[in-house]
Amino acid sequence: MRKAQYTMQDIANQLGISKSTVSRALKNHPDISQETKDAVNKLAEEMDYQPNSLALSLRHKKSFVIGIIVPEIVHDFFANVISGVQSVAYEEGYNVMICISNESPEQEEVDVKAMYSSRVDGLLISLTKETKKLKHIESIVNKGVPLVMFDRVSENINVSKVITDDFQGAFMATDHLVKQGCKKIVHLSGPDNLSISSLRLNGYKDALSKNNIPVDDNLIIPCPEGTLSEATKTMKSIINSNLEFDGIFANNDVTAIGAMNALKELGKKVPEDISIVGFGDWRLSQLLDPPLSSIEQSGINIGVESAKLLFKQIKEEENDKEFTPITKVVQNNLIERKSSIK
Amino acid sequence: MRKAQYTMQDIANQLGISKSTVSRALKNHPDISQETKDAVNKLAEEMDYQPNSLALSLRHKKSFVIGIIVPEIVHDFFANVISGVQSVAYEEGYNVMICISNESPEQEEVDVKAMYSSRVDGLLISLTKETKKLKHIESIVNKGVPLVMFDRVSENINVSKVITDDFQGAFMATDHLVKQGCKKIVHLSGPDNLSISSLRLNGYKDALSKNNIPVDDNLIIPCPEGTLSEATKTMKSIINSNLEFDGIFANNDVTAIGAMNALKELGKKVPEDISIVGFGDWRLSQLLDPPLSSIEQSGINIGVESAKLLFKQIKEEENDKEFTPITKVVQNNLIERKSSIK
DNA sequence: TTGTACGCGTTATCAT
DNA sequence: ATGATAACGCGTACAA
């Protein structure tokens, strides 16, 4: 038995009243008599009436949908961000439309247009690695759609941004190792062209300085690819070169794991001989043997903070107020398993 | 400089023509003169006109959006499913609206209603662990919205379903171990109440039988919680009990890792002494030391197949044809690192 | 207390 | 080749 898709008009017809009365009854308008309300509600229930939010959105010029565009989704960080965004959106009574640009600037452009076409009330976006042109972003911003960029942001546009504090995270990680008694800490650094690499490197250097430990350039080992095999290979050659060190701060979780594998393979014990802290996914870290300490790029927090900022902006927009773009910096969390620290 | 949100009417006014002409010009209707088209397109470009798909959807009673509801998103399987769905949807010219029920049946109900409210043209859903009532599902199905359930499906409703072949996967895993020379294969089994547990157990048993290896109930070890600590603890006691075995087929990736940790801790070598194959996330498996062979629950394939089935259904619906629900079974993949197999 | 009429942005139908 | 009008489903100012 298939029911049709009823509208208010259908209810009105069956009850011999006008659709405006139905509309008012449904939203419990004080002018409507109780018996009319009862009749309408009863029939609506029977018919399993559900409002058409397309019509609503068109009417109100407001969709109660926010959009989010991420470069990829099969990645704990972005999945966490989305999760955080969702939770805030639900509280505000908004739905979330998600697009995955798949690291393609062309797709990103299409996505932004699609988002505007469906008249999202606000947009969250993390840019593709290759995004250079920002015309599509400017376009939607010019139309007055509140927009917040997160994590992969661009400096060439004046919009609100939410980013993680890579410097602070790196500082925290290095400081943590020092506090554990490490004196000679290796840093597995990331690719030069990414700003996160230099931020993390600087955090590492700064933590050493603050602890009166001289920075030794020999301890800074580049791992530009950031792959497991590269890290493993690099670490092995470092160990074999008899470089002395008692701790490792890895630029990401994969290099941290690679380092651990290399150490174990060459008979070193983690964390008894060498302590490791890496940036990245702590869930992964916890499954390792032994679990690693890790600096979590707190995806959920990024999501929550971005969404909050967006809604703030949406509300200002509704009240025709000026909104000055803000850059929010979210702190990283050091996830630590005590047992894994020497 | 903020541009307004222009409509066709705005273009028409500026050009002193009617909005219907604009509409036709924009979609390159043959009746319209070339010069009018040029003028319209030029102005549309200048104004950065973007169509309002809300109005379009209302008009056509078709939104070109499909919905997907997943219980969680911070989980490689579901993230992969979404990724697969997106790729198919893009090809078909559809957008995807994602909701996360967060394993809450109440949220799931809200989500389904929201999806219908925004008049998605089709819905993909994987149920919450606790979902018992299916009224919300029946409701949207009765309204004629094409729906496909995937992975977490219910037997109590006649809709299209896409599931993984757990039996086949378990068979494949066990058979693989036998082919590697294993004779006494332990199975770490899952919770009794889930059908996947018994399916996997049966696949395990069947593979042994087909290879003329008697099933030994002592080798079937329950790990109902499926946690790392449970698996580690259980495996240790098994090893200490001097039970003889040379291979492990784990019900999931986490128990596989737990087993590996236990083995290594007690001085056994993987895979030299014991080979392990687990169901689950192969990316995780590859980061382990040594990498584990794993039976991947192919999320992308599930996503792709589900979406394809949904679009098939959407098209039949458009042509007022009958559509008989189908259950599709997606095969699992064995992800293998040759080096890790003895 | 309820009904009428209009508009949100678009397209299809029917005129001209 | 172009314009006027109605319709999609809803809410609301205005009228009764």
Side-chain angles (χ1 to χ4, degrees):
Chain A
M1 175 210 66
R2 166 170 304 171
K3 303 170 194 168
Q5 308 200 175
Y6 295 111
T7 72
M8 288 188 171
Q9 187 67 63
D10 296 318
I11 299 183
N13 290 150
Q14 286 216 20
L15 256 37
I17 58 181
S18 83
K19 63 175 179 177
S20 23
T21 305
V22 175
S23 170
R24 283 184 275 239
L26 247 20
K27 47 178 2 200
N28 205 20
H29 191 101
D31 280 356
I32 303 297
S33 75
Q34 194 54 48
E35 45 180 353
T36 309
K37 281 181 190 168
D38 290 344
V40 169
N41 284 317
K42 182 158 170 278
L43 188 56
E45 178 80 15
E46 278 175 28
M47 286 182 159
D48 195 19
Y49 166 80
Q50 309 250 129
N52 182 331
S53 49
L54 293 173
L56 267 165
S57 302
L58 188 59
R59 172 91 235 272
H60 293 310
K61 294 185 159 230
K62 185 154 173 43
S63 62
F64 284 97
V65 172
I66 60 169
I68 177 170
I69 301 177
V70 293
E72 48 174 338
I73 194 174
V74 187
H75 188 305
D76 252 32
F77 174 69
F78 289 113
N80 270 304
V81 172
I82 292 173
S83 170
V85 170
Q86 283 268 3
S87 65
V88 176
Y90 279 148
E91 273 173 25
E92 299 275 345
Y94 278 70
N95 273 97
V96 180
M97 175 167 270
I98 305 175
C99 281
I100 302 160
S101 60
N102 224 13
E103 297 288 5
S104 146
E106 292 77 26
Q107 183 62 51
E108 186 179 276
E109 231 180 291
V110 171
D111 288 341
V112 172
K113 281 191 182 159
M115 289 289 185
Y116 177 69
S117 255
S118 55
R119 295 298 187 272
V120 292
D121 293 334
L123 183 57
L124 297 165
I125 185 168
S126 192
L127 297 177
T128 291
K129 280 179 190 160
E130 273 89 30
T131 300
K132 310 279 181 211
K133 297 178 196 159
L134 295 174
K135 223 184 136 190
H136 52 303
I137 309 285
E138 286 162 5
S139 164
I140 194 167
V141 169
N142 281 337
K143 295 202 168 66
V145 179
L147 181 142
V148 173
M149 295 182 45
F150 66 91
D151 195 56
R152 305 251 204 94
V153 305
S154 164
E155 293 168 8
N156 303 321
I157 189 168
N158 183 31
V159 297
S160 290
K161 293 161 195 170
V162 174
I163 51 178
T164 45
D165 191 340
D166 286 287
F167 176 88
Q168 176 263 354
F171 185 98
M172 195 189 263
T174 310
D175 191 62
H176 178 78
L177 288 170
V178 174
K179 293 278 188 296
Q180 301 299 321
C182 297
K183 306 277 184 202
K184 302 193 172 193
I185 302 171
V186 159
H187 174 44
L188 302 176
S189 63
D192 280 343
N193 60 324
L194 291 186
S195 66
I196 53 169
S197 301
S198 52
L199 284 169
R200 290 176 186 178
L201 176 58
N202 288 337
Y204 159 81
K205 287 181 179 173
D206 209 51
L208 292 182
S209 302
K210 287 270 163 44
N211 283 289
N212 299 315
I213 299 179
V215 173
D216 178 355
D217 282 343
N218 294 319
L219 293 175
I220 300 171
I221 318 286
C223 286
E225 293 174 23
T227 61
L228 193 65
S229 59
E230 182 199 44
T232 310
K233 205 173 141 194
T234 305
M235 262 326 282
K236 278 190 195 169
S237 67
I238 294 300
I239 299 168
N240 288 330
S241 76
N242 288 324
L243 181 73
E244 264 186 56
F245 63 97
D246 49 14
I248 298 174
F249 163 51
N251 169 74
N252 76 41
D253 46 14
V254 173
T255 50
I257 294 171
M260 187 173 78
N261 289 347
L263 286 168
K264 291 204 293 190
E265 205 167 316
L266 297 185
K268 307 283 182 188
K269 299 221 161 168
V270 179
E272 291 80 1
D273 299 340
I274 312 282
S275 284
I276 305 179
V277 176
F279 249 96
D281 179 7
W282 72 271
R283 294 201 317 159
L284 205 122
S285 310
Q286 288 202 309
L287 290 175
L288 296 175
D289 181 32
L292 290 181
S293 289
S294 108
I295 294 291
E296 184 190 22
Q297 275 191 80
S298 180
I300 288 201
N301 287 347
I302 294 269
V304 168
E305 293 304 323
S306 304
K308 279 186 183 170
L309 190 49
L310 186 67
F311 282 114
K312 199 169 159 189
Q313 206 163 330
I314 289 175
K315 277 158 194 165
E316 307 266 310
E317 185 81 17
E318 281 170 0
N319 301 328
D320 272 331
K321 283 188 193 162
E322 277 298 325
F323 183 85
T324 314
I326 297 171
T327 294
K328 228 189 234 183
V329 178
V330 174
Q331 304 298 305
N332 294 287
N333 302 324
L334 177 63
I335 306 290
E336 175 187 352
R337 282 267 320 236
K338 290 244 166 53
S339 63
S340 77
I341 301 296
K342 67 177 175 185
Chain B
M1 175 212 67
R2 166 170 305 170
K3 303 171 196 167
Q5 307 200 179
Y6 295 111
T7 70
M8 288 187 172
Q9 186 67 66
D10 297 317
I11 299 182
N13 290 150
Q14 287 217 22
L15 256 39
I17 57 180
S18 83
K19 60 178 179 178
S20 14
T21 306
V22 175
S23 171
R24 282 183 278 236
L26 248 19
K27 48 181 1 203
N28 204 20
H29 190 102
D31 281 356
I32 303 297
S33 75
Q34 194 55 48
E35 43 180 353
T36 308
K37 280 181 190 170
D38 291 344
V40 168
N41 284 318
K42 182 158 170 278
L43 188 54
E45 179 81 15
E46 278 175 28
M47 287 181 159
D48 195 20
Y49 166 81
Q50 310 252 129
N52 183 330
S53 48
L54 293 172
L56 262 165
S57 302
L58 187 61
R59 177 78 235 265
H60 293 310
K61 292 184 161 228
K62 186 153 173 40
S63 62
F64 284 97
V65 172
I66 61 169
I68 176 170
I69 301 176
V70 293
E72 47 174 338
I73 194 175
V74 187
H75 189 304
D76 252 33
F77 174 69
F78 288 113
N80 270 304
V81 171
I82 291 173
S83 171
V85 169
Q86 282 267 5
S87 65
V88 176
Y90 279 147
E91 274 174 25
E92 298 275 345
Y94 279 70
N95 274 96
V96 181
M97 176 166 269
I98 305 175
C99 281
I100 302 159
S101 61
N102 222 14
E103 297 289 7
S104 145
E106 292 76 27
Q107 184 62 51
E108 186 179 276
E109 232 179 290
V110 171
D111 288 342
V112 171
K113 281 190 182 159
M115 290 289 186
Y116 177 68
S117 253
S118 55
R119 296 297 186 271
V120 292
D121 292 334
L123 182 58
L124 296 165
I125 184 169
S126 191
L127 297 177
T128 290
K129 279 178 189 160
E130 272 89 31
T131 300
K132 310 281 181 207
K133 296 177 195 162
L134 296 173
K135 223 184 138 189
H136 53 303
I137 309 285
E138 287 163 5
S139 165
I140 195 168
V141 170
N142 281 338
K143 294 202 169 66
V145 179
L147 181 142
V148 173
M149 296 183 42
F150 65 91
D151 195 57
R152 304 249 205 97
V153 305
S154 164
E155 293 168 8
N156 302 320
I157 189 167
N158 184 30
V159 297
S160 290
K161 293 161 197 171
V162 174
I163 50 177
T164 46
D165 192 340
D166 286 288
F167 177 88
Q168 175 263 354
F171 186 98
M172 194 189 264
T174 310
D175 191 62
H176 178 78
L177 287 170
V178 173
K179 294 278 188 295
Q180 300 300 319
C182 297
K183 306 277 183 202
K184 302 194 173 192
I185 301 171
V186 160
H187 174 45
L188 301 177
S189 64
D192 282 342
N193 60 323
L194 292 186
S195 65
I196 53 169
S197 302
S198 50
L199 285 169
R200 290 176 186 179
L201 176 59
N202 288 337
Y204 160 81
K205 287 182 178 173
D206 209 52
L208 292 182
S209 301
K210 287 267 161 47
N211 283 290
N212 299 315
I213 299 180
V215 173
D216 179 354
D217 283 343
N218 293 319
L219 292 175
I220 300 170
I221 318 285
C223 286
E225 292 174 24
T227 61
L228 192 65
S229 59
E230 182 199 45
T232 310
K233 206 172 140 193
T234 305
M235 263 326 283
K236 279 192 196 169
S237 67
I238 295 300
I239 300 167
N240 287 331
S241 76
N242 289 323
L243 182 72
E244 265 186 57
F245 64 98
D246 50 13
I248 298 175
F249 162 50
N251 168 74
N252 77 43
D253 47 14
V254 173
T255 51
I257 294 170
M260 188 174 77
N261 288 348
L263 287 168
K264 291 203 294 189
E265 205 166 317
L266 297 184
K268 307 283 184 188
K269 298 219 164 172
V270 179
E272 291 79 4
D273 299 339
I274 311 282
S275 284
I276 305 180
V277 177
F279 248 97
D281 178 8
W282 74 271
R283 294 200 318 158
L284 206 128
S285 309
Q286 286 202 311
L287 289 175
L288 296 175
D289 178 34
L292 290 180
S293 290
S294 113
I295 293 292
E296 186 190 21
Q297 279 189 76
S298 177
I300 289 201
N301 287 347
I302 292 269
V304 167
E305 294 304 324
S306 303
K308 280 187 182 168
L309 191 49
L310 186 68
F311 282 114
K312 199 170 160 190
Q313 205 164 331
I314 289 175
K315 277 159 194 165
E316 308 266 310
E317 184 82 18
E318 281 170 0
N319 302 328
D320 273 332
K321 282 188 193 160
E322 278 297 325
F323 182 85
T324 314
I326 298 170
T327 294
K328 227 190 235 183
V329 178
V330 175
Q331 302 300 306
N332 296 284
N333 302 322
L334 176 65
I335 306 291
E336 175 187 353
R337 282 272 317 240
K338 290 245 166 51
S339 64
S340 78
I341 301 297
K342 68 177 176 181

